[in-house]
Amino acid sequence: MSSNASPLPLDSVIPRPTVVRPGRGSFVLDGDTTLAGDSAACDWFRRHVGAAVGLPLRESEHADITFLIAPEEIDAPEGYRLDITEHEIRIRAHDEDGAHYAAQTLRQLLGADAWRAAPTRRGPWRLPCGEIEDRPRFSWRGCHLDLARHFMPKREVLRFVELLAAHKLNVLHLHLTDDQGWRIEVPGLPRLTEVGAWRKDSQLGAGPEAGRTERPHGGYYTGADLAEIVSYAAEHRITVVPEIDVPGHCQAAIASYPELGNEPHRQLDVWTGWGISEHVLNVEESTVEFFCRVFDHVLSVFPSPVICVGGDEVPTDEWERSPRCVRRSRQLGLSEPAKLHGWFLRRIIEHLHASGRRAIGWDEMLDSGESLPAGSIVASWRDEQGGVRAARAGYDTVMCPEQRVYLDHRQAAGSEEPVPVGFVNTLEDVYAYDPVPAESPSALSRRVLGAQAQVWTEHLDSPSRVDYAAFPRLCAFAEVAWSSTAVRDFSDFRTRLTTEHLARLTAFGVQFRPLQGPLPWQRRPGVPGKPR
Ligand code: ACM
């Protein structure tokens, strides 16, 4: 068991705070330490950190640790100030978010053992004296998680929520539907999960040499499961943005209800390959109504002000071949069937906006050349130009370019990476990403809500594979999204990571990729990748 005789340095926090002023001495947390405040962060600290350090952290009027929501003192949304002396800890926050982030900072400063689920030693638990002032650079600090390609048990999603919050990320974008699986139960449409949530087998690896798992796969979340995830995320100040991907990436839905497809008499399977299925939704009014019904259910489960409609990678061949689609596109006054993509998205977005929510979609939504309903948000993934185009056209954007922040892409060149796919996005590459570089047009800087890392799971078939892909790159990404450029420095980050933070992740039980490369059991010899 490690001892904690001297406290961690005040500047060991990830993501790096705006201002850190180390002091002298330390505050000792023990059985007599009391807690008070007007914030839910107080309860969070008692429950999560109290459990790890094994202290009651009782409430008291004249408490040693005080949380105060004080927007008149702390002007930045989500910002906080932490004053630690030998006698007390004072937290001032702009809002509940800021108070929560202060509590997360305190947990980091308590050291790795404060990241465990139960106490492993008696103490002492020391916090370094000094002051921290902190505020985020961006309001959208997202991580996307693909639950469609590989289902993740609910408890693993809850654990992922904790890890995002620990890094001050505040959006969890859940990719709930795709060609290979439908993961959300929808009342009245039982086949979506009876049929759409299961596949016979899966492709193993990528490229022409890919194999087969020869093992069925599946799973879905009930309304209660999703309500629990939403509520747990809210306790961690995270908004869950659900994605129902339309009108492409819909083969699991079409397998469930063939009348949604362009060959209604053909029974498709939930797809067992990776890539982009050629089977897309048809454009009948009944199909639009079906998906409005699905989205209405989504709205009842997810309070998020923003809902994702997907909209990426929509092959138009079926529409071009189908006399009904060609006729429909003419009736709608569209110049060609390919424009049905934009038309379909517009119908769904208008429905969401009429319900008081905002739609976000992948940057293909700009390709039709038609304007999108005002208030739509564009997720710029194919490169950064999607964001620039969106900003110029007057839409807000979230920057998530695959060349920089796709965490399923390989973390190093060479053959050691398990199932090496995509671009090389090293820890340093992710760290170096700037969603709004200094030379960006001012139109962009006004429209960038923030940035989002993506965790696609075609080749991440277990929670430990997700851990490996996400960590520690997500720690670097957290600094991209939270920390001001003035305090960002890769070598300083790397020192904080290796000296203190990897120990925190280890204590939490994260099976991250060691900086030197994969451990022997993290490799996947014989499973081919497809580097780009
Ligand atoms: C995407 O990666 N297809 C958004």
Side-chain angles (χ1 to χ4, degrees), residues 405-442:
V405 290
Y406 267 37
L407 302 186
D408 52 317
H409 287 206
R410 61 211 168 108
Q411 331 207 19
S415 57
E416 280 201 344
E417 288 307 309
V419 203
V421 295
F423 298 100
V424 175
N425 282 333
T426 65
L427 181 71
E428 187 164 5
D429 293 335
V430 172
Y431 193 87
Y433 179 56
D434 188 338
V436 188
E439 64 279 11
S440 298
S442 61

Side-chain angles (χ1 to χ4, degrees), residues 324-478:
R324 279 182 80 91
C325 289
V326 172
R327 221 172 25 248
R328 181 104 164 113
S329 74
R330 280 207 202 100
Q331 278 166 0
L332 292 167
L334 304 174
S335 58
E336 50 177 339
K339 300 266 187 208
L340 288 164
H341 175 194
W343 172 83
F344 195 100
L345 283 176
R346 175 173 261 283
R347 289 291 305 274
I348 299 294
I349 294 172
E350 281 168 352
H351 184 75
L352 293 175
H353 287 197
S355 309
R357 312 288 183 99
R358 282 178 88 178
I360 186 170
W362 302 106
D363 59 44
E364 287 93 330
M365 71 201 276
L366 290 168
D367 288 353
S368 77
E370 309 289 325
S371 63
L372 298 166
S376 301
I377 304 170
V378 176
S380 184
W381 78 274
R382 287 178 293 180
D383 55 27
E384 288 160 86
Q385 284 312 304
V388 175
R389 283 164 65 205
R392 290 218 169 99
Y395 305 112
D396 287 341
T397 181
V398 174
M399 301 302 283
C400 40
E402 62 171 347
Q403 299 82 356
R404 310 303 300 270
V405 290
Y406 267 37
L407 302 186
D408 52 317
H409 287 206
R410 61 211 168 108
Q411 331 207 19
S415 57
E416 280 201 344
E417 288 307 309
V419 203
V421 295
F423 298 100
V424 175
N425 282 333
T426 65
L427 181 71
E428 187 164 5
D429 293 335
V430 172
Y431 193 87
Y433 179 56
D434 188 338
V436 188
E439 64 279 11
S440 298
S442 61
L444 183 64
S445 58
R446 276 201 310 279
R447 287 295 186 179
V448 173
L449 301 179
Q452 183 169 288
Q454 273 56 233
V455 183
W456 296 101
T457 60
E458 289 93 331
H459 310 292
L460 308 178
D461 57 2
S462 67
S464 53
R465 291 279 292 123
V466 168
D467 273 9
Y468 178 91
F471 293 98
R473 290 186 294 184
L474 202 56
C475 312
F477 176 78

